[in-house]
Amino acid sequence: MRWASAATALTPFHEAFLPRLGAALADAVKEYPIIWMQHSACSGCSVSVINTIHPSIKNVILDQILPGHQLFLNYHSTLMAAAGHLSTDAAMETARKHKGKYVFIVEGAIPTRDGGIDGTLGEEDGKPVTMLEWMRRLAPGAMAILAVGTCAAYGGISAAAPNPTESKGVRDVLRMLSINVPVINIPGCPCHPDWFIGTVARVLLYGIPPAKDLDEHGRLKIYFAKTVHNRCIFRDYLDDGVFASKFGEVGCMMELGCKGPFTHADCPIRQWNSGVNWCINASAPCIGCTEPGFPDAHSPLYQRR
């Protein structure tokens, strides 16, 4: 409406035209329904994203995240007031009404053993509906799938050995179900809110990223092209041969199991908790949480590989 008011200062429009102009501008806003489904996860990625500062989660959900682009969070079992059938019906209704136009956000790995019986969400006709079945129902009609967090991207902690539920990441599950929908991985334990907001904005502005913008693991290169080691604040200690032999000691933490040399993320320059700190600056070695194979492939976490 501010645009509509400004327009009258520049044109001879009669004030009766304002409501029509305002309605036309409202119609020009592109709407993107969101279904955010949590599977085998701790909800830590939801908590991390909710703590986004610029923009705030209120702005993300209630305002236009970009001029002319409005997200509608139609389903999120933790954030929405509805429960039971009222909530899951909202997810199915969104998928039916907006086929090919909604963004499906998956948090957590998907249990697949015995048809996915180890992980269920809601009931239908008195029987539990497996998370695997929700993937089968909701994934095919999505415009794109965002796998939020390392569990959704690669299986993560949910798929750690011995993995009795045979949990898998989103891409592996889609391959198993023969579903072909673009997937963008936003790993991390948890994922950084900037990585999530930035990926959403990238999709809204420019569409599905071409292959050249993604790395071999389906991550946007703008966040995951370089290793933690490449921009580490302790890099000089390595070059000078100064290594910490115990926690709290000054020096590169390679001997304490730091996984920075093969972990791709921009944590050193982005930091966490609104730029307050990050793992290595708090004297804790990088554990490689954004990489496929975490945590098994990196264990023992506090020993040099």
Side-chain angles (χ1 to χ4, degrees), residues 44 116 195 197 276 288 297:
W195 300 339
I197 298 296
V276 172

Side-chain angles (χ1 to χ4, degrees), residues 68-92:
H69 298 271
Q70 173 82 55
L71 299 178
F72 283 91
L73 186 58
N74 289 352
Y75 178 85
H76 187 300
S77 57
T78 300
L79 297 181
M80 66 194 310
H85 280 295
L86 286 177
S87 65
T88 52
D89 287 352
M92 288 304 299

Side-chain angles (χ1 to χ4, degrees), residues 111-124:
T112 65
R113 187 186 70 87
D114 288 347
I117 192 61
D118 297 306
T120 64
L121 199 160
E123 293 184 345
E124 209 169 73

Side-chain angles (χ1 to χ4, degrees), residues 203-214:
V203 171
L204 299 190
L205 275 175
Y206 306 113
I208 306 302
K212 67 180 179 62
D213 291 342
L214 301 172

